Amino acid sequence: MAAAQSVTRALKLLKIIMARADSGVRFSELVKLSELDKSTAHRILEALERESLIYKSEGTAAYYPLVASHLENKNKKIKIVFAEVIRALAEVTGDTVLLMSRDGDYAECLERQSGDYPVKALTTEIGQRRLLGIGSGGLSILAKLDDDEIRGFVQRNLHEPALAAIGEESFWEEIRACRKLGYALVGDRITSGTRSIGVNFMRQGHDVSLCVVAVNSRMEENRLPWLQEKILLTVKPLEEPLQVKGLAAALN
């Protein structure tokens, strides 16, 4: 009887969390909606986390459901961790911001947020995958690898039209430029009339890049270091998750 009651309570909490998959649910809300006492709810939530059925965001302290696929789970966690960062960066720059995550030889767009500049550069859709090195996000990820790893990547993928169009010599020049500058810059490659800057970093075990994309007139050389600085500033508070809230105001 007690075991059946525990299962019923666990399912009740899980259903509440699944119903709020996008926004997440805080502990106080879960207690109120489930009508469970705090100690019982806390014990059940810990068990659900151990079984990888739910995930608690360090930044918002909200609970989210996890899915069956390991890759989907990883990407969901990344999106939760970087949600406020992307919004803040789009607000401060006024441009389109992309969150790119490495998946083998590819970079996948996990999130996109547009700023208030009227001319939008919507070069990449959420869920779209591109070979590393084609966009600024993938190029910045690739540039952090050692040369032997990059050579292996080139050998595996030089037959791909997008990479073949760049050419191996030009490709290595872009890698060296990215390492020197600390960011990748790609222009008129994916969408004519646009440029993007991408900065790669590892945070909380995630190998990702934040990219700012805009029309060419907004990506002049003297603005690029400023954009790089803003990207790095948005990422820094992730080392102290509770300080991420209100990030946009701090960047102005």
Side-chain angles (χ1 to χ4, degrees):
M1 186 69 176
Q5 186 180 49
S6 295
V7 171
T8 300
R9 289 171 173 174
L11 289 174
K12 191 173 189 178
L13 285 172
L14 189 57
K15 285 180 179 179
I16 294 170
I17 295 169
M18 290 180 70
R20 301 267 291 276
D22 292 331
S23 60
V25 194
R26 291 176 179 271
F27 180 75
S28 58
E29 294 177 275
L30 282 168
V31 170
K32 181 179 179 181
L33 292 171
S34 67
E35 298 179 334
L36 297 173
D37 62 73
K38 291 182 179 180
S39 60
T40 300
H42 182 71
R43 185 175 66 254
I44 293 172
L45 289 170
E46 284 189 332
L48 292 173
E49 276 196 279
R50 284 196 302 270
E51 296 301 319
S52 297
L53 294 173
I54 62 172
Y55 168 74
K56 183 179 179 182
S57 167
E58 293 183 8
T60 65
Y63 290 89
Y64 297 83
L66 290 177
V67 292
S69 163
H70 172 71
L71 179 60
E72 286 183 78
N73 280 342
K74 185 191 80 166
N75 289 346
K76 188 175 183 68
K77 289 181 180 180
I78 294 172
K79 288 174 67 174
I80 292 168
V81 168
F82 289 93
E84 178 61 25
V85 165
I86 298 167
R87 284 193 293 268
L89 190 57
E91 181 180 334
V92 170
T93 64
D95 299 315
T96 299
V97 177
L98 305 175
L99 175 64
M100 307 296 295
S101 176
R102 184 186 180 188
D103 179 18
D105 284 353
Y106 291 83
E108 180 179 350
C109 179
L110 301 186
E111 192 59 88
R112 183 180 75 184
Q113 185 81 33
S114 294
D116 59 5
Y117 189 72
V119 182
K120 311 296 183 189
L122 306 178
T123 60
T124 305
E125 300 294 330
I126 295 174
Q128 190 169 1
R129 285 158 51 91
R130 284 200 176 90
L131 196 65
L132 293 176
I134 305 305
S136 64
L139 182 60
S140 68
I141 291 171
L142 201 61
K144 289 291 182 73
L145 304 180
D146 62 45
D147 286 357
D148 286 340
E149 289 181 279
I150 297 174
R151 289 189 191 97
F153 167 84
V154 172
Q155 289 175 0
R156 290 192 300 274
N157 297 288
L158 195 55
H159 66 282
E160 294 285 347
L163 189 55
I166 300 171
E168 190 170 354
E169 185 176 344
S170 296
F171 191 69
W172 277 102
E173 288 177 1
E174 292 184 1
I175 293 290
R176 287 191 288 271
C178 179
R179 288 171 172 174
K180 180 179 179 181
L181 295 169
Y183 59 82
L185 181 65
V186 170
D188 295 310
R189 179 178 293 166
I190 295 171
T191 303
S192 180
T194 66
R195 300 178 88 187
S196 66
I197 174 177
V199 179
N200 168 249
F201 44 84
M202 290 287 295
R203 284 295 185 277
Q204 300 184 9
H206 305 309
D207 187 10
V208 302
S209 283
L210 278 175
C211 309
V212 176
V213 191
V215 293
N216 286 342
S217 60
R218 286 180 60 78
M219 299 293 277
E220 296 177 349
E221 296 299 323
N222 59 358
R223 190 172 184 247
L224 299 178
W226 179 84
L227 286 172
Q228 179 193 25
E229 178 187 9
K230 294 304 178 185
I231 292 172
L232 293 174
L233 282 173
T234 58
V235 174
K236 188 175 181 180
L238 290 178
E239 297 169 0
E240 301 174 64
L242 296 179
Q243 296 184 20
V244 174
K245 189 175 181 181
L247 184 56
L251 290 172
N252 284 311

